[in-house]
Amino acid sequence: RLCLFQSNNDIYIITSNYDTSSNKPDPLKIYNLNGEKIEEIRNSKEHTFFIDIYYDNSLSKHYLITCNCNFSRTYKMNDPKEGYIIYNTYKDGNYEYTYSAIVLNDNGVIKLIESCSDGAIRIFNFHSGLPLNTIKINNSRLYGMCLWNDNYLFVGCLDKEMKLVEIKAGLVVKSFRHESEVLTIKKIISKDGYYLVSQSQY
């Protein structure tokens, strides 16, 4: 996995390791666009399946989000040359993997929403790290997610379905059948309207 981060007009690439066959996962690494490694992020030696950047407008701060074997985690991001500091670890219950995470601003309350291997979506207060709610979808692993709007999200499942979830009610309101497990979901905005793109295993 990888994501891009811009700091002081410089662009950096952050990469992750998600090879669960290895007992020695690599830490997250930061490269410049010349392919030179700037640093390795301390305390990030996990099997990481997902990374993304979140910018909090109210605080004017960037955060790195990672989904790992047993939790999601955020890091405070300064200039990459100054290092990264763990901000919060999000964990509530016993489950093996977190596969995706998104951030929702719900009337000023910043929430981190993670998809988990036990078929549940877990919602945390982004800044305090405290759990707020758990939405049980099914007993199948959940993979990629995307927000449709402030009250609905789509989540991909191992059971070959993509599900539309009403966040506040905690309910699945519609399911869409695929030929195999749904790994990634993206919302595309164009001049013609909104589109949803999903990626399956095959």
Side-chain angles (χ1 to χ4, degrees), residues 153-174:
L153 65 82
F154 286 92
V155 60
C157 305
L158 180 65
D159 67 2
K160 303 180 181 180
E161 288 191 343
M162 179 174 64
K163 300 181 189 296
L164 177 62
V165 179
E166 185 177 353
I167 301 170
K168 293 180 180 177
L171 297 172
V172 175
V173 296
K174 195 167 185 178

PDB file of all heavy atoms in Angstrom, residues 153-174:
ATOM      1  N   LEU A 153     -22.530   4.776   4.078  1.00  0.00           N
ATOM      2  CA  LEU A 153     -21.261   4.313   3.536  1.00  0.00           C
ATOM      3  C   LEU A 153     -21.453   2.953   2.876  1.00  0.00           C
ATOM      4  O   LEU A 153     -22.383   2.212   3.198  1.00  0.00           O
ATOM      5  CB  LEU A 153     -20.175   4.250   4.613  1.00  0.00           C
ATOM      6  CG  LEU A 153     -20.293   3.282   5.785  1.00  0.00           C
ATOM      7  CD1 LEU A 153     -19.833   1.862   5.429  1.00  0.00           C
ATOM      8  CD2 LEU A 153     -19.461   3.772   6.958  1.00  0.00           C
ATOM      9  N   PHE A 154     -20.560   2.657   1.931  1.00  0.00           N
ATOM     10  CA  PHE A 154     -20.514   1.342   1.296  1.00  0.00           C
ATOM     11  C   PHE A 154     -19.333   0.573   1.875  1.00  0.00           C
ATOM     12  O   PHE A 154     -18.270   1.140   2.131  1.00  0.00           O
ATOM     13  CB  PHE A 154     -20.342   1.474  -0.216  1.00  0.00           C
ATOM     14  CG  PHE A 154     -21.569   1.919  -0.944  1.00  0.00           C
ATOM     15  CD1 PHE A 154     -21.799   3.266  -1.193  1.00  0.00           C
ATOM     16  CD2 PHE A 154     -22.508   0.996  -1.395  1.00  0.00           C
ATOM     17  CE1 PHE A 154     -22.927   3.685  -1.872  1.00  0.00           C
ATOM     18  CE2 PHE A 154     -23.640   1.405  -2.076  1.00  0.00           C
ATOM     19  CZ  PHE A 154     -23.848   2.757  -2.317  1.00  0.00           C
ATOM     20  N   VAL A 155     -19.527  -0.732   2.065  1.00  0.00           N
ATOM     21  CA  VAL A 155     -18.453  -1.577   2.574  1.00  0.00           C
ATOM     22  C   VAL A 155     -18.419  -2.868   1.762  1.00  0.00           C
ATOM     23  O   VAL A 155     -19.460  -3.436   1.418  1.00  0.00           O
ATOM     24  CB  VAL A 155     -18.636  -1.886   4.086  1.00  0.00           C
ATOM     25  CG1 VAL A 155     -19.945  -2.605   4.365  1.00  0.00           C
ATOM     26  CG2 VAL A 155     -17.460  -2.700   4.614  1.00  0.00           C
ATOM     27  N   GLY A 156     -17.207  -3.316   1.408  1.00  0.00           N
ATOM     28  CA  GLY A 156     -17.032  -4.562   0.683  1.00  0.00           C
ATOM     29  C   GLY A 156     -16.842  -5.728   1.629  1.00  0.00           C
ATOM     30  O   GLY A 156     -16.243  -5.581   2.696  1.00  0.00           O
ATOM     31  N   CYS A 157     -17.321  -6.905   1.228  1.00  0.00           N
ATOM     32  CA  CYS A 157     -17.344  -8.060   2.134  1.00  0.00           C
ATOM     33  C   CYS A 157     -16.758  -9.302   1.474  1.00  0.00           C
ATOM     34  O   CYS A 157     -16.788  -9.463   0.251  1.00  0.00           O
ATOM     35  CB  CYS A 157     -18.777  -8.360   2.560  1.00  0.00           C
ATOM     36  SG  CYS A 157     -19.653  -6.974   3.284  1.00  0.00           S
ATOM     37  N   LEU A 158     -16.264 -10.186   2.325  1.00  0.00           N
ATOM     38  CA  LEU A 158     -15.767 -11.479   1.877  1.00  0.00           C
ATOM     39  C   LEU A 158     -16.897 -12.348   1.325  1.00  0.00           C
ATOM     40  O   LEU A 158     -16.658 -13.224   0.491  1.00  0.00           O
ATOM     41  CB  LEU A 158     -15.077 -12.200   3.043  1.00  0.00           C
ATOM     42  CG  LEU A 158     -14.486 -13.585   2.764  1.00  0.00           C
ATOM     43  CD1 LEU A 158     -13.330 -13.490   1.770  1.00  0.00           C
ATOM     44  CD2 LEU A 158     -14.011 -14.229   4.056  1.00  0.00           C
ATOM     45  N   ASP A 159     -18.135 -12.119   1.732  1.00  0.00           N
ATOM     46  CA  ASP A 159     -19.263 -12.935   1.289  1.00  0.00           C
ATOM     47  C   ASP A 159     -19.778 -12.546  -0.099  1.00  0.00           C
ATOM     48  O   ASP A 159     -20.887 -12.886  -0.479  1.00  0.00           O
ATOM     49  CB  ASP A 159     -20.405 -12.884   2.305  1.00  0.00           C
ATOM     50  CG  ASP A 159     -21.050 -11.504   2.410  1.00  0.00           C
ATOM     51  OD1 ASP A 159     -20.630 -10.586   1.669  1.00  0.00           O
ATOM     52  OD2 ASP A 159     -21.957 -11.334   3.231  1.00  0.00           O
ATOM     53  N   LYS A 160     -18.946 -11.810  -0.870  1.00  0.00           N
ATOM     54  CA  LYS A 160     -19.227 -11.438  -2.257  1.00  0.00           C
ATOM     55  C   LYS A 160     -20.327 -10.392  -2.384  1.00  0.00           C
ATOM     56  O   LYS A 160     -20.981 -10.305  -3.425  1.00  0.00           O
ATOM     57  CB  LYS A 160     -19.575 -12.673  -3.098  1.00  0.00           C
ATOM     58  CG  LYS A 160     -18.501 -13.751  -3.090  1.00  0.00           C
ATOM     59  CD  LYS A 160     -18.901 -14.935  -3.934  1.00  0.00           C
ATOM     60  CE  LYS A 160     -17.819 -16.011  -3.886  1.00  0.00           C
ATOM     61  NZ  LYS A 160     -18.186 -17.183  -4.716  1.00  0.00           N
ATOM     62  N   GLU A 161     -20.509  -9.594  -1.352  1.00  0.00           N
ATOM     63  CA  GLU A 161     -21.489  -8.523  -1.419  1.00  0.00           C
ATOM     64  C   GLU A 161     -20.862  -7.185  -1.060  1.00  0.00           C
ATOM     65  O   GLU A 161     -19.907  -7.118  -0.285  1.00  0.00           O
ATOM     66  CB  GLU A 161     -22.672  -8.803  -0.493  1.00  0.00           C
ATOM     67  CG  GLU A 161     -23.574  -9.910  -0.984  1.00  0.00           C
ATOM     68  CD  GLU A 161     -24.872  -9.992  -0.192  1.00  0.00           C
ATOM     69  OE1 GLU A 161     -24.944  -9.422   0.913  1.00  0.00           O
ATOM     70  OE2 GLU A 161     -25.815 -10.627  -0.691  1.00  0.00           O
ATOM     71  N   MET A 162     -21.415  -6.142  -1.642  1.00  0.00           N
ATOM     72  CA  MET A 162     -21.126  -4.771  -1.240  1.00  0.00           C
ATOM     73  C   MET A 162     -22.387  -4.254  -0.568  1.00  0.00           C
ATOM     74  O   MET A 162     -23.482  -4.348  -1.116  1.00  0.00           O
ATOM     75  CB  MET A 162     -20.786  -3.910  -2.463  1.00  0.00           C
ATOM     76  CG  MET A 162     -20.497  -2.472  -2.140  1.00  0.00           C
ATOM     77  SD  MET A 162     -19.942  -1.554  -3.610  1.00  0.00           S
ATOM     78  CE  MET A 162     -21.415  -1.638  -4.649  1.00  0.00           C
ATOM     79  N   LYS A 163     -22.233  -3.713   0.652  1.00  0.00           N
ATOM     80  CA  LYS A 163     -23.400  -3.355   1.437  1.00  0.00           C
ATOM     81  C   LYS A 163     -23.456  -1.847   1.667  1.00  0.00           C
ATOM     82  O   LYS A 163     -22.427  -1.217   1.930  1.00  0.00           O
ATOM     83  CB  LYS A 163     -23.400  -4.101   2.768  1.00  0.00           C
ATOM     84  CG  LYS A 163     -23.407  -5.627   2.585  1.00  0.00           C
ATOM     85  CD  LYS A 163     -23.435  -6.357   3.902  1.00  0.00           C
ATOM     86  CE  LYS A 163     -23.229  -7.853   3.715  1.00  0.00           C
ATOM     87  NZ  LYS A 163     -24.294  -8.486   2.946  1.00  0.00           N
ATOM     88  N   LEU A 164     -24.656  -1.306   1.576  1.00  0.00           N
ATOM     89  CA  LEU A 164     -24.905   0.101   1.875  1.00  0.00           C
ATOM     90  C   LEU A 164     -25.390   0.190   3.317  1.00  0.00           C
ATOM     91  O   LEU A 164     -26.386  -0.428   3.690  1.00  0.00           O
ATOM     92  CB  LEU A 164     -25.961   0.671   0.929  1.00  0.00           C
ATOM     93  CG  LEU A 164     -26.381   2.125   1.180  1.00  0.00           C
ATOM     94  CD1 LEU A 164     -25.208   3.080   1.011  1.00  0.00           C
ATOM     95  CD2 LEU A 164     -27.532   2.508   0.246  1.00  0.00           C
ATOM     96  N   VAL A 165     -24.657   0.952   4.140  1.00  0.00           N
ATOM     97  CA  VAL A 165     -24.920   1.012   5.577  1.00  0.00           C
ATOM     98  C   VAL A 165     -25.375   2.416   5.958  1.00  0.00           C
ATOM     99  O   VAL A 165     -24.732   3.408   5.579  1.00  0.00           O
ATOM    100  CB  VAL A 165     -23.648   0.646   6.379  1.00  0.00           C
ATOM    101  CG1 VAL A 165     -23.908   0.727   7.878  1.00  0.00           C
ATOM    102  CG2 VAL A 165     -23.154  -0.738   5.990  1.00  0.00           C
ATOM    103  N   GLU A 166     -26.470   2.499   6.703  1.00  0.00           N
ATOM    104  CA  GLU A 166     -26.882   3.768   7.295  1.00  0.00           C
ATOM    105  C   GLU A 166     -26.143   3.899   8.628  1.00  0.00           C
ATOM    106  O   GLU A 166     -26.379   3.118   9.559  1.00  0.00           O
ATOM    107  CB  GLU A 166     -28.391   3.807   7.505  1.00  0.00           C
ATOM    108  CG  GLU A 166     -28.888   5.154   8.000  1.00  0.00           C
ATOM    109  CD  GLU A 166     -30.401   5.217   8.128  1.00  0.00           C
ATOM    110  OE1 GLU A 166     -31.077   4.257   7.707  1.00  0.00           O
ATOM    111  OE2 GLU A 166     -30.890   6.223   8.653  1.00  0.00           O
ATOM    112  N   ILE A 167     -25.255   4.871   8.718  1.00  0.00           N
ATOM    113  CA  ILE A 167     -24.329   4.930   9.844  1.00  0.00           C
ATOM    114  C   ILE A 167     -25.041   5.197  11.168  1.00  0.00           C
ATOM    115  O   ILE A 167     -24.829   4.486  12.154  1.00  0.00           O
ATOM    116  CB  ILE A 167     -23.258   6.019   9.594  1.00  0.00           C
ATOM    117  CG1 ILE A 167     -22.491   5.720   8.311  1.00  0.00           C
ATOM    118  CG2 ILE A 167     -22.280   6.091  10.770  1.00  0.00           C
ATOM    119  CD1 ILE A 167     -21.587   6.849   7.874  1.00  0.00           C
ATOM    120  N   LYS A 168     -25.878   6.219  11.226  1.00  0.00           N
ATOM    121  CA  LYS A 168     -26.504   6.587  12.495  1.00  0.00           C
ATOM    122  C   LYS A 168     -27.464   5.523  12.996  1.00  0.00           C
ATOM    123  O   LYS A 168     -27.543   5.253  14.193  1.00  0.00           O
ATOM    124  CB  LYS A 168     -27.211   7.933  12.338  1.00  0.00           C
ATOM    125  CG  LYS A 168     -26.245   9.095  12.118  1.00  0.00           C
ATOM    126  CD  LYS A 168     -26.964  10.419  11.977  1.00  0.00           C
ATOM    127  CE  LYS A 168     -25.959  11.543  11.753  1.00  0.00           C
ATOM    128  NZ  LYS A 168     -26.613  12.851  11.540  1.00  0.00           N
ATOM    129  N   ALA A 169     -28.191   4.882  12.083  1.00  0.00           N
ATOM    130  CA  ALA A 169     -29.119   3.823  12.485  1.00  0.00           C
ATOM    131  C   ALA A 169     -28.394   2.504  12.717  1.00  0.00           C
ATOM    132  O   ALA A 169     -28.919   1.612  13.391  1.00  0.00           O
ATOM    133  CB  ALA A 169     -30.205   3.643  11.422  1.00  0.00           C
ATOM    134  N   GLY A 170     -27.195   2.355  12.156  1.00  0.00           N
ATOM    135  CA  GLY A 170     -26.448   1.118  12.309  1.00  0.00           C
ATOM    136  C   GLY A 170     -27.064  -0.047  11.564  1.00  0.00           C
ATOM    137  O   GLY A 170     -27.024  -1.181  12.040  1.00  0.00           O
ATOM    138  N   LEU A 171     -27.614   0.220  10.364  1.00  0.00           N
ATOM    139  CA  LEU A 171     -28.346  -0.799   9.625  1.00  0.00           C
ATOM    140  C   LEU A 171     -27.832  -0.932   8.200  1.00  0.00           C
ATOM    141  O   LEU A 171     -27.441   0.049   7.567  1.00  0.00           O
ATOM    142  CB  LEU A 171     -29.839  -0.444   9.560  1.00  0.00           C
ATOM    143  CG  LEU A 171     -30.594  -0.369  10.884  1.00  0.00           C
ATOM    144  CD1 LEU A 171     -31.995   0.179  10.644  1.00  0.00           C
ATOM    145  CD2 LEU A 171     -30.655  -1.737  11.549  1.00  0.00           C
ATOM    146  N   VAL A 172     -27.841  -2.170   7.687  1.00  0.00           N
ATOM    147  CA  VAL A 172     -27.607  -2.410   6.269  1.00  0.00           C
ATOM    148  C   VAL A 172     -28.934  -2.197   5.540  1.00  0.00           C
ATOM    149  O   VAL A 172     -29.928  -2.853   5.837  1.00  0.00           O
ATOM    150  CB  VAL A 172     -27.089  -3.840   6.021  1.00  0.00           C
ATOM    151  CG1 VAL A 172     -26.977  -4.108   4.525  1.00  0.00           C
ATOM    152  CG2 VAL A 172     -25.750  -4.049   6.711  1.00  0.00           C
ATOM    153  N   VAL A 173     -28.957  -1.252   4.611  1.00  0.00           N
ATOM    154  CA  VAL A 173     -30.217  -0.929   3.935  1.00  0.00           C
ATOM    155  C   VAL A 173     -30.305  -1.549   2.543  1.00  0.00           C
ATOM    156  O   VAL A 173     -31.396  -1.666   1.991  1.00  0.00           O
ATOM    157  CB  VAL A 173     -30.427   0.596   3.843  1.00  0.00           C
ATOM    158  CG1 VAL A 173     -30.560   1.186   5.231  1.00  0.00           C
ATOM    159  CG2 VAL A 173     -29.285   1.273   3.103  1.00  0.00           C
ATOM    160  N   LYS A 174     -29.163  -1.983   1.975  1.00  0.00           N
ATOM    161  CA  LYS A 174     -29.202  -2.619   0.659  1.00  0.00           C
ATOM    162  C   LYS A 174     -27.904  -3.378   0.440  1.00  0.00           C
ATOM    163  O   LYS A 174     -26.850  -2.989   0.940  1.00  0.00           O
ATOM    164  CB  LYS A 174     -29.393  -1.580  -0.447  1.00  0.00           C
ATOM    165  CG  LYS A 174     -29.794  -2.174  -1.782  1.00  0.00           C
ATOM    166  CD  LYS A 174     -30.270  -1.093  -2.748  1.00  0.00           C
ATOM    167  CE  LYS A 174     -30.791  -1.731  -4.023  1.00  0.00           C
ATOM    168  NZ  LYS A 174     -31.310  -0.703  -4.972  1.00  0.00           N
TER     169      LYS A 174
END
